Amino acid sequence: MKDTHMSQKVADLLGHYLPILTWGAEYSRRTLISDLIAAAIVTVMLIPQSLAYALLIGLPPQIGLYASMAPLVLYALFGTSRTLAVGPVAMASLMTGAAASQFASQGTPEFLGVAVAIAMVSGILLIAMGLLRLGFLANFLSHPVVSGFITAAAIQIAAGQVGPMLGIRTHGENLLEILTSLAPNLATINPVTTAIGFAVFAFLLWARGGLKPLLLRLGLNARLADILAKTGPAMTIVASTTAVWGLGLDLRGVGILGEVPSGLPSLALPPVNVDLWKQLLIPALLISIVGYVESISVALTLAAKRRQRVNPDQELIALGVADVGAALSGAFPVTGALSRSVVNFDSGAQTPAAGAFTALGVGLATLFLTPSLFYLPKATLGAIIIVAVLSLVDISALKRTWRYSLTDFSAMIATILLTWVHGVEAGLLAGVGLSIFFHLYATSRPHVAVVGQLPGTMNFRNMARHAVVTDPEILSLRVDASLYFPNARFIEDLINQSVSANPAIRHVILECPAVNRIDISAVESLEAVNRRLKDGGITFHLSEVKGPVIDSLQKSHFLEELTGKVHLTQYDAVASINPELARRTREAQRAED
């Protein structure tokens, strides 16, 4: 019996950390077909994007292919989302490139080594966060900050690809530097490169909404038309590569990809440099959290559509293992991709095995198709990146945030501007810092209302908003927040000032329906209030205190020293002090009934 119980515990533990054991047991031929179809479509999307994102960082293009194999297989083993498509993404790539450039020059072996080390450190941090169940840390990235950061980074990425589309060189770690380097070179624009870049750009924009209707008019069925419409980037690669090769456009100054080594990545440990890894902790943590936020948001959204379950802490582990896999295969950090995940979902993927099949497709392309990429124009990859990231720009969010909250808007604008001027890390850290500061400031001055009794009822409301009945000897204050160290002194001073301003007060009631927690600093402030009120001949009461808060207060001496009582409701508190007011209220209520 004991052995059976132990075996069940081991099985449950394995099932928790290896979700493949759960969905794999139900795998069927029909599921296999659905996953293969989805994988084929996503593979066609992933290959050009992986090449483009490697170039975005400043790495050889085959590194992007390497980042699209082992991580996908590992996520299939450990991930809980059935449809999340893991691999290289624009945001993580940009942040990786920016971080790596602080330690080595782009194009050098050392630069690649730093990028691989970032993947390893990110993976270790994600796994540790998952095991410690620290997924809540992502909550410190408020939506305005994330939205502002993504918008700023997307525009910066797009600006960085204008150079390749025009056939001129640009450089810089932020938007200001990129634009500054772009302006002096505008006179050297290559017209042929520009024509290719803008033709691809225009086609991809049109293909998003116009290709499928055209294919339907040509007589294709809806399913096939939908699949072909998603292969727009692959079509542009084939067409532009063929044009450059057939017309010899590389001889006219069109920048091409050149030789892309064939073969699968070899497994190897990243550079083990303790000092370097220490310096990479902050950028790797930022990359990890941003990637996790993007991934878990997509995963939860898609899972909800099929009423499936996603485990956020296990997702941290799965993404961490995927990053470790990227590092061991000589690649850069990966995470869940919004666009590819949506396509994966819409294409009918049923399990994470679709990701493993996608990795297989990328592996076959790396073995057999890389020679055909020799004449691929860099302008084509630049256009693919621009179209992909422009969909992430959300200008309307600025307007919505401005209307709703000036503080959130300030954090959003600060994130955008600092990202453009000082780089992605500075922008993100500033946004997070401002969000936390504004939150602490707001909670340090919580809303407190002077309440009175609604005539003919047992309800109490803010006297500034309602016609209420009050007793001049009773001060009833409703605090609409938990009490903790940032606001403890504020509440203490507010009660003291209110009592000092009205000598008629003989009772103070603190109504606490919104108080979920009282920390030790707040307890000490309440004890100080109780002593001062006692010295002035004023009784201090609490009402509507939640059970867990009472449990906490019982660990201190406050309740023993409290001059008044803790009442179940605000009505009970007022009735214990002024029974006549309570009687009139009850009679008015009976008459109304």
Side-chain angles (χ1 to χ4, degrees):
M1 187 71 176
K2 185 177 180 181
D3 291 342
T4 303
H5 179 67
M6 181 62 69
S7 299
Q8 185 60 45
K9 288 187 66 175
V10 172
D12 291 343
L13 187 64
L14 288 175
H16 176 79
Y17 288 109
L18 286 172
I20 188 175
L21 298 177
T22 301
W23 59 260
E26 305 169 354
Y27 208 73
S28 65
R29 181 179 178 182
R30 182 177 180 180
T31 306
L32 171 64
I33 294 173
S34 297
D35 285 345
L36 285 173
I37 293 173
I41 297 171
V42 174
T43 300
V44 173
M45 286 185 66
L46 178 56
I47 290 174
Q49 288 184 351
S50 62
L51 295 169
Y53 293 145
L55 293 179
L56 172 64
I57 294 177
L59 295 174
Q62 69 272 16
I63 303 300
L65 297 173
Y66 296 166
S68 305
M69 287 184 266
L72 280 66
V73 176
L74 290 170
Y75 181 83
L77 297 176
F78 292 90
T80 60
S81 170
R82 300 292 181 99
T83 53
L84 185 69
V86 171
V89 298
M91 292 302 120
S93 299
L94 173 66
M95 296 178 72
T96 300
S101 64
Q102 299 176 23
F103 302 93
S105 300
Q106 287 188 354
T108 63
E110 291 78 13
F111 184 84
L112 173 58
V114 175
V116 173
I118 291 174
M120 178 60 76
V121 176
S122 296
I124 294 172
L125 288 173
L126 284 167
I127 293 172
M129 289 167 62
L131 293 174
L132 296 174
R133 300 186 177 183
L134 298 180
F136 70 89
L137 290 176
N139 297 334
F140 287 101
L141 287 175
S142 68
H143 185 267
V145 168
V146 173
S147 178
F149 172 72
I150 290 176
T151 293
I155 292 175
Q156 181 170 309
I157 291 171
Q161 297 308 304
V162 171
M165 280 187 62
L166 300 178
I168 60 179
R169 294 181 62 84
T170 60
H171 63 273
E173 301 300 329
N174 55 63
L175 182 63
L176 185 62
E177 293 177 356
I178 292 171
L179 295 179
T180 302
S181 68
L182 181 65
N185 297 320
L186 291 177
T188 62
I189 289 175
N190 184 297
V192 180
T193 300
T194 303
I196 294 173
F198 277 91
V200 171
F201 178 75
F203 173 79
L204 291 175
L205 283 182
W206 169 80
R208 289 194 163 194
L211 183 55
K212 182 178 179 179
L214 175 62
L215 295 174
L216 290 174
R217 288 196 296 270
L218 292 176
L220 274 68
N221 63 61
R223 176 68 171 167
L224 182 57
D226 187 54
I227 292 174
L228 291 177
K230 293 179 172 69
T231 62
M235 293 180 186
T236 62
I237 285 181
V238 173
S240 60
T241 301
T242 302
V244 171
W245 170 72
L247 300 176
L249 299 181
D250 57 313
L251 301 178
R252 299 179 60 181
V254 174
I256 59 175
L257 198 58
E259 184 178 357
V260 179
S262 300
L264 300 177
S266 56
L267 297 179
L269 288 173
V272 181
N273 184 322
V274 177
D275 291 334
L276 173 64
W277 284 29
K278 287 180 180 178
Q279 295 178 71
L280 292 176
L281 280 175
I282 297 301
L285 180 62
L286 292 176
I287 293 170
S288 301
I289 293 179
V290 170
Y292 173 69
V293 169
E294 183 177 356
S295 297
I296 196 64
S297 299
V298 176
L300 291 172
T301 300
L302 296 179
K305 293 183 178 182
R306 292 183 181 173
R307 298 188 178 183
Q308 296 171 341
R309 181 176 177 271
V310 172
N311 184 327
D313 291 321
Q314 180 61 24
E315 284 299 293
L316 282 168
I317 295 174
L319 293 171
V321 172
D323 271 342
V324 170
L328 294 178
S329 52
F332 51 91
V334 298
T335 191
L338 171 60
S339 60
R340 294 196 302 271
S341 296
V342 172
V343 170
N344 197 39
F345 179 90
D346 290 341
S347 301
Q350 298 298 312
T351 72
F357 296 142
T358 299
L360 177 62
V362 174
L364 292 173
T366 306
L367 286 172
F368 303 110
L369 297 182
T370 50
S372 62
L373 298 173
F374 185 89
Y375 289 98
L376 172 60
K378 292 183 178 179
T380 297
L381 295 177
I384 289 173
I385 291 177
I386 291 176
V387 172
V389 299
L390 285 183
S391 63
L392 302 175
V393 176
D394 188 3
I395 300 299
S396 64
L398 287 167
K399 186 176 181 180
R400 293 194 305 271
T401 307
W402 165 261
R403 286 181 174 178
Y404 189 81
S405 170
L406 182 59
T407 55
D408 286 339
F409 180 78
S410 301
M412 192 176 192
I413 286 295
T415 302
I416 292 173
L417 295 179
L418 284 171
T419 297
W420 284 346
V421 175
H422 292 290
V424 291
E425 288 182 26
L428 194 57
L429 287 173
V432 173
L434 278 175
S435 294
I436 294 175
F437 170 77
F438 287 140
H439 169 73
L440 291 175
Y441 179 78
T443 57
S444 72
R445 302 177 64 84
H447 179 260
V448 179
V450 179
V451 299
Q453 192 170 1
L454 291 175
T457 75
M458 299 172 69
N459 300 319
F460 288 75
R461 293 293 184 269
N462 187 345
M463 66 180 299
R465 294 177 178 270
H466 302 273
V468 296
V469 177
T470 60
D471 183 331
E473 293 189 353
I474 301 175
L475 173 64
S476 295
L477 296 175
R478 188 191 70 223
V479 57
D480 296 331
S482 291
L483 304 181
Y484 71 131
F485 65 95
N487 61 29
R489 187 60 182 269
F490 172 80
I491 299 297
E492 181 181 345
D493 291 342
L494 178 65
I495 294 175
N496 291 335
Q497 291 170 10
S498 299
V499 170
S500 299
N502 190 350
I505 294 175
R506 291 292 175 264
H507 304 274
V508 173
I509 306 171
L510 191 64
E511 186 183 2
C512 307
V515 177
N516 297 313
R517 175 174 175 262
I518 299 180
D519 73 359
I520 187 63
S521 298
V523 170
E524 292 175 354
S525 288
L526 292 178
E527 289 173 343
V529 168
N530 185 60
R531 286 194 298 270
R532 290 195 185 99
L533 293 178
K534 181 180 180 180
D535 292 341
I538 300 173
T539 306
F540 189 31
H541 303 262
L542 300 181
S543 72
E544 303 193 16
V545 185
K546 296 180 179 179
V549 177
I550 289 289
D551 295 340
S552 297
L553 291 177
Q554 287 175 342
K555 298 176 183 178
S556 70
H557 297 291
F558 172 70
L559 295 180
E560 298 173 6
E561 299 171 356
L562 185 65
T563 55
K565 297 180 180 179
V566 178
H567 301 274
L568 185 63
T569 68
Q570 179 67 14
Y571 176 82
D572 292 339
V574 172
S576 69
I577 300 169
N578 190 336
E580 179 62 23
L581 181 64
R583 184 186 64 79
R584 292 200 307 268
T585 301
R586 287 196 299 268
E587 289 177 353
Q589 195 168 28
R590 288 198 196 99
E592 186 176 324
D593 293 339

